[in-house]
Each structure stands twice: as C-alpha cells, then as structure tokens.
Amino acid sequence: MDIQINEEDIRIKQRRERMNEMRRQKEKQMMLRKRLKLAAPFAVVSLLVLMIAGRMIFAKPANAKEKNQAVNEETVSTPSKEPVNESVEKITAVFHFGNLTDKILENDGSDFESVSSVLSNSVKPNREYTAHTTPATVQLGSTIEPDQELYSEYVVLIDLNDGSIVAQKNAFDRMIPASMTKILTVLVAAENLMSLDDLNDTIVMTPEITDYGFIHKCSTAGFEKGETVTVRDLFYGTILPSGADAAMGLAVYTAGDQESFVEMMNQKLEQLGLSDTAHMTNCVGVYDKDHYCTAVDMAMILEAALDNELCREVLSGHIYTTSKTEQHPEGIELSNWFLRRIEDKDSGGEVVAGKTGFVDQSGNCAASFCVDEDGKSYICVTAGANSHWRCIYDHAGLYKKF
C-alpha cells in the first residue's frame, strides 16, 4: 500500500512539473510571437528599402554621362542583391512552420491486442511532456501547429511515448470542457472506492439525483427515481451515454452531495498540478463561467484516468448493459457512440478510449486515446467544433496525419 502511495505521489509530482514546464514554454511562445509581430513591419520596410536601393543601383544608365558616372563609381562599394535575398530567407524561416511527413497506416484490426492489454502496456507513468520542435519551428519556441483544415478551435495531440506535443491549436487557452468533465468525475470516484467490491454496492436514485439532468437539459443514462442502481452501472452510465443522472449518483455515493464531491475534484486538479488553469463547479459539465480548463489540462486528466484500471475499463467500453431492476427488467443498453462512430474512420490506428462533450459555449468536444499499429499511443483533445461528426473527423485526421 505504501509503495502504491509513493508511486502515485511521484506521478502527481511529475505531472505538476510537466505542467509548469509547459506553461513556461507557452510564455516563451507568446513573448516570441509578440516580438515577431512588432518586428514584422520594420522587417518589411527594411526589405522594401533594400529592394528599391538595389534596383536604383543596378538600373541601366539612360545616357553616356550616366554610364561614365556609373563606371567611375564602380570602385565604390555598393550593396549587392545577396543581402536582400538573405533577408527574404530569414523572414521566411521565421514564419515558416515546416511540413511533417505523413505516415499513413492501414489497419484491419487483426494485429491489435485486447483493449486492456494495449492500454496497460502503452499507458506508462513517469512521462515528461515537452514541446516538439524542428529546425523550421524552433525559432518560434512552440509546438508544431496543424497545417491541415481543422473544425475545432482548441486542439492538442500528445505523443505518450516521449511526452511531446506533436500538434496544438490554442492548447493553453481557457476553454469550456462540457461533459469531458466526467473523465475527472469517474477518476475521483474510482480513487475513493475502498475496493473493487464497492462496485457491487447500490444507491437509490433520489429526485435530487435524477432531476439535476432534466433541469439543466443534460443527457441521461435513463435511471428512474427510486431505482436501485449499482455503483458499477453508475460508472458506465457516466461515460458511455454521458449520463448526468449517473454522474450525480457517483457524486452522492462518493461524497454525500455534489458540492462536497466538487471540492474533491478541485483537490485532484491541485494534486495533478492543474489548479492554476483548471477549475470545476459541478460533476456533470454544465456550463458555468467558473467551470473551465485548457486542452492540455484535459489531456493530463485523461492520462491520469488511463492510469486507473477501472477508469481504463470504463473509458474503453463500447456497449454495456446495466443490471436488471424492477424499473428496467432487461437492464439499459448503454453505448459510447464516439468510439462506435470513429472505429470505421481511417485514423491510422485504433481509438480505444474516449469521452465527448457538448454545451453551446464549448461546441462539440472530445478527449480520446489512440494506439497505432506500431504500439505507439497518443492522447487527443479538441473543443469548439460545430458538429459531433466534425469533432470525430478532427480526431481521426490528427491521428492519421501525425
């Protein structure tokens, strides 16, 4: 038990260090961009002056007198055209992001291991996230930005094998996480179970639990007032159909009420080193101006959840049927439609875990985990797409390209 606690403390410390390093990288990026923005007008003016001067110097003389004058002045050092070209090359280098070589992988699914073994083998602790740079991008001090068309406003793609951010777009800017919040909900609930036997415990769905989703017009798993539901069903109901009733049930089961559970969520954010840029006000993902995070924050939350055995199992579930109850004699069939819809898209690998979200203020968003044919694993987080299909296409396209 002490060893497990020490390992968790180490992982939390490393995540906090990674977050601080990423913030420093972002600050450097913003500073360099400001300098480039300020320097750009002067660079353009200087370039024009050099071009005009060069043109005047090398212009053909109009008469003999000017020819003789030009001959006499040949001994005087005159600017050549090379400095102009050098300036052009330098400016081009500064604003050039470079091109990545596409690595297109075709997969029929036959070479993949089981989801559980892939997850446990590929999601490794003790990673350090660093900004991935190339000679073309190093002057910007930032990550490679996607050069393909993206529907999402916020994007981050992280290579979990070396911890590098291989693609990003507004990844450090505040965004609304919507129901991606529920990844943190199941993580906090899972870490506070006394044992896996607690999954067989039951809770009665009170009006306080079931009405929250209806009041806020949220998606639900379909549990009814007075229904006795197992904790295991609440976990799957929170993720697969993004059920507000299930998430509230987990919060009440774990902490007694949502307010106390939200305090636990924010404590977990602090442990992960994310409290400076992330804050939660509810366990469902209902919009609130004080309910926010960044795409990088959500990626790190998903990483932490994938380190938890129960959360890995739930986040990778495609279809699940709840226990039989008086209200639902056959149980309720739950589906993770994000995983079912993206599985036939050409992503260059297999997307084995994911959670979507939507509120008007966030647009369609999702956090997912993918393993390619070589066993390399990635986390992708996007937000701000204007349809769930465009959100899916962004994830599939990013995985395939990078």
Side-chain angles (χ1 to χ4, degrees):
M1 183 65 179
D2 292 337
I3 295 176
Q4 292 178 349
I5 293 174
N6 291 335
E7 290 178 349
E8 178 62 20
D9 289 341
I10 291 172
R11 286 197 293 269
I12 289 172
K13 182 179 179 180
Q14 289 171 338
R15 291 192 182 104
R16 186 179 294 111
E17 291 173 351
R18 288 199 301 270
M19 194 62 199
N20 290 334
E21 178 60 26
M22 294 169 83
R23 288 197 190 100
R24 287 192 289 271
Q25 292 166 1
K26 178 62 177 178
E27 290 172 358
K28 291 179 181 178
Q29 174 190 10
M30 296 302 295
M31 182 64 67
L32 284 171
R33 286 183 174 177
K34 287 180 180 178
R35 290 175 180 174
L36 288 173
K37 187 175 181 180
L38 291 173
F42 297 102
V44 172
V45 171
S46 299
L47 178 60
L48 290 173
V49 170
L50 287 172
M51 291 176 67
I52 293 170
R55 190 168 182 177
M56 291 175 64
I57 292 169
F58 290 98
K60 184 177 180 180
N63 51 54
K65 182 178 179 181
E66 290 178 348
K67 287 183 180 180
N68 293 331
Q69 183 178 356
V71 171
N72 293 331
E73 291 177 350
E74 283 180 353
T75 57
V76 180
S77 176
T78 58
S80 68
K81 292 185 179 181
E82 291 183 357
V84 177
N85 292 334
E86 287 178 359
S87 299
V88 173
E89 290 172 359
K90 288 178 182 178
I91 292 174
T92 302
V94 168
F95 290 99
H96 178 55
F97 284 93
N99 296 318
L100 295 178
T101 302
D102 290 340
K103 184 178 181 182
I104 302 175
L105 303 174
E106 296 178 359
N107 169 48
D108 59 5
S110 59
D111 295 331
F112 283 107
E113 305 172 58
S114 65
V115 169
S116 59
S117 62
V118 167
L119 285 166
S120 56
N121 289 335
S122 59
V123 182
K124 299 180 176 66
N126 306 330
R127 288 180 294 274
E128 293 185 0
Y129 290 157
T130 57
H132 180 76
T133 57
T134 68
T137 62
V138 69
Q139 296 186 61
L140 293 172
S142 66
T143 59
I144 300 170
E145 302 204 15
D147 58 2
Q148 67 185 83
E149 182 180 358
L150 287 169
Y151 298 107
S152 300
E153 182 179 356
Y154 306 91
V155 175
V156 69
L157 178 66
I158 296 177
D159 183 340
L160 294 180
N161 303 278
D162 61 12
S164 64
I165 301 176
V166 296
Q168 69 95 5
K169 177 183 178 184
N170 302 321
F172 297 88
D173 295 344
R174 181 183 292 191
M175 67 175 195
I176 305 301
S179 284
M180 292 190 294
T181 300
K182 296 185 177 78
I183 299 173
L184 182 60
T185 299
V186 295
L187 175 59
V188 171
E191 289 186 341
N192 283 275
L193 292 176
M194 297 299 294
S195 71
L196 291 180
D197 291 337
D198 289 349
L199 294 173
N200 297 319
D201 285 351
T202 59
I203 181 175
V204 177
M205 304 296 282
T206 64
E208 174 193 9
I209 295 173
T210 57
D211 289 353
Y212 185 88
F214 291 112
I215 292 172
H216 294 282
K217 299 179 181 179
C218 303
S219 56
T220 66
F223 299 121
E224 297 182 12
K225 295 177 184 178
E227 186 171 5
T228 301
V229 180
T230 68
V231 174
R232 185 188 303 274
D233 292 345
L234 293 177
F235 272 97
Y236 279 95
T238 298
I239 296 299
L240 272 64
S242 197
D245 49 353
M248 282 292 293
L250 277 182
V252 172
Y253 173 81
T254 303
D257 56 65
Q258 181 179 211
E259 290 73 20
S260 300
F261 186 81
V262 170
E263 290 182 9
M264 297 169 67
M265 294 173 71
N266 286 313
Q267 288 171 4
K268 184 62 182 178
L269 291 176
E270 186 173 358
Q271 290 177 357
L272 293 172
L274 308 177
S275 57
D276 288 343
T277 52
H279 183 266
M280 304 298 167
T281 62
N282 62 85
C283 65
V284 174
V286 172
Y287 171 73
D288 186 290
K289 64 182 179 63
D290 293 323
H291 189 93
Y292 55 83
C293 70
T294 69
V296 171
D297 294 336
M298 187 52 63
M300 297 183 75
I301 292 170
L302 178 56
E303 180 203 5
L306 292 170
D307 283 341
N308 181 279
E309 181 180 356
L310 174 59
C311 292
R312 290 200 305 269
E313 175 187 324
V314 174
L315 286 163
S316 61
H318 284 60
I319 300 176
Y320 174 85
T321 302
T322 65
S323 307
K324 298 177 181 179
T325 64
E326 180 181 348
Q327 291 82 356
H328 298 99
E330 302 299 322
I332 306 172
E333 184 175 275
L334 308 175
S335 293
N336 187 326
W337 283 107
F338 176 83
L339 292 181
R340 295 182 67 180
R341 286 167 174 159
I342 201 172
E343 63 186 357
D344 62 345
K345 301 294 179 292
D346 185 8
S347 62
E350 183 182 23
V351 181
V352 294
K355 177 71 191 77
T356 58
F358 174 81
V359 291
D360 290 339
Q361 295 81 359
S362 72
N364 291 89
C365 51
S368 66
F369 171 76
C370 181
V371 180
D372 70 14
E373 288 183 328
D374 297 325
K376 295 182 66 176
S377 53
Y378 302 83
I379 280 179
C380 182
V381 176
T382 66
N386 58 9
S387 78
H388 66 269
W389 277 114
R390 288 182 172 178
C391 177
I392 290 173
Y393 290 140
D394 277 351
H395 279 246
L398 284 163
Y399 284 134
K400 178 180 177 180
K401 185 172 185 63
F402 296 104

